[in-house]
Amino acid sequence: MHLLDENRCREVIRRAGSPFFRGRVDVVSGVLVEAVGIPAGMGELCRIERGGGDPIEAEVIGFRGDRTLLMPHGNVVGLAPGQSVYALGRTFGIEVSDGMLGRVLDGFGHPLDDRAPIPGGHHRDVRQAAPRPLSRSAVDQPLSTGVRVIDGLNTVGRGQRLGIFAGAGVGKSTLLGQITRGTEADVVVACLVGERGREVRDFLEETIGETALARTVLVAATSDRSPLERLTAPWVAVTIAEHFRDQGKNVLLVVDSITRFAHAAREVGLAAGEPPTVRGYPPSFFALVPQLLERMGRTALGSITGLLTVLTDGDDDDDPVADALRGLLDGHVHLSRDLAQAGHFPAVDVLGSLSRLMPKLVTREHELHARHLRELLSAYRDGRDLVDVGAYHRGTNPVLDEALERMPAIQALLRQDVDDPTPFEETVEVLKLVSGLAGVPR
């Protein structure tokens, strides 16, 4: 405890010894503040004195002539031209500690659950560089999620980045709850971006559950919060995940949703004067996403497995956000509205989903059984219409015949109750029985 206090004192002295530059607010427009006379760099924090109100921190997001463009960390109420602005000489950072487990934080890392301040901790800058490519360890160990359709047919590795692509109301949150409660990860860091306020408590109590809460940190920036807070929340979440990763733990980082993170980036970028490109998204968004994703992965110390949801507008998988993410991720799980409407949960479209790292994570036997089951599902999909109208005759297609025979068992494997996690080894054994592929080398 003495060492912790000494480190804090050194940090206070360092900040106190840094020069402060004073400017003034010139224009307040929407969520943007324009200041003059303040030499601050991109990403630097500034403090705005709000007259009789509490000062507010703001972040430099761009420049317009001799004006510095600031995005406040909060509401702009009370800001007015002429107020003093001070450059703090540092970028945004948070205090991280093990005391965050079981807590709910806002998009800037402050407690949101009306409980006591988080004890202990050390300072970490939120915008850090990703681990160097050659310092990363290979992703060669599976991470059990407890969900059979993922563990058996789209196996996830420790340190992998996987996207869940789904339209609204297809069971995305339900699947996240299954994974969060059933995963073997040591720590879960969940980040809700742009959700409705009531959904935070629902996610906490229903999706995560009381049992998993003890190993979970929840970061929430609801839809009514400033665009900068919604943009910052995933960076805060990955910074917290890095704290636990550096302790040698396997961390599952859930971001729901990356699409609303993109919307916040669009608001900030357009306010800063960036030119709109595809569907109004500024160029900075397509540079930010790789920087965020590369912070995840596996190192010599531990791992951060990223699970990012992508809300496809109108079930359009060619949405620019979905298209950009698909090329950066190590795999994708596609949720089907047709399956959801038929009462099939989790509504995972096996043939439309893929884990790129699965061959490196599972045995040759597991891979061949999974491949054969996919073959059966493909034959069933292609021949189902003929079967339904009675135009198919048994014996015409041996693969379709086998698929029809095994389909009840396959459906039982792919469907799963939300409160029924299945151990990874059990999933593999069931997959072998359902697949029925003979003569597979071990």
Side-chain angles (χ1 to χ4, degrees), residues 3-140:
L3 180 60
L4 183 61
D5 292 341
E6 182 179 342
N7 290 337
R8 282 183 172 176
C9 289
R10 288 178 178 176
E11 178 65 17
V12 170
I13 293 173
R14 184 189 68 79
R15 293 180 183 178
S18 301
F20 280 76
F21 297 96
R22 178 181 174 181
R24 61 178 176 83
V25 174
D26 188 51
V27 175
V28 180
S29 175
V31 296
L32 191 68
V33 174
E34 299 183 22
V36 294
I38 179 143
M42 283 290 294
E44 187 173 339
L45 279 182
C46 297
R47 187 179 71 241
I48 304 175
E49 302 292 342
R50 289 195 288 189
D54 294 332
I56 184 173
E57 289 188 345
E59 189 170 325
V60 177
I61 63 168
F63 305 92
R64 186 175 294 151
D66 61 346
R67 292 188 173 120
T68 301
L69 306 182
L70 303 172
M71 186 75 75
H73 283 193
N75 203 306
V76 296
V77 172
L79 296 181
Q83 292 175 339
S84 299
V85 182
Y86 297 90
L88 301 183
R90 58 183 173 87
T91 57
F92 176 60
I94 61 172
E95 298 289 321
V96 294
S97 75
D98 293 355
M100 289 180 163
L101 292 173
R103 300 297 299 269
V104 183
L105 313 176
D106 66 14
F108 297 123
H110 305 134
L112 196 63
D113 49 13
D114 297 327
R115 292 166 56 186
I118 297 172
H122 63 277
H123 185 84
R124 290 185 79 120
D125 288 333
V126 166
R127 298 295 180 90
Q128 299 185 54
R132 293 175 298 176
L134 296 182
S135 69
R136 297 176 181 269
S137 301
V139 179
D140 55 8

Side-chain angles (χ1 to χ4, degrees), residues 16 63 84-85 107 139-140 156 178 184 197 213 244 252 262 286 328 330 335 344 365 369 387 389 399 401 409 442:
F63 305 92
S84 299
V85 182
V139 179
D140 55 8
V156 180
Q178 280 187 275
E184 63 179 9
L213 181 60
F244 292 104
L252 176 64
F286 298 99
L328 295 170
D330 303 316
L335 300 188
H344 181 119
E365 183 184 19
H369 280 289
V387 174
V389 299
V399 179
D401 291 341
R442 291 184 177 274

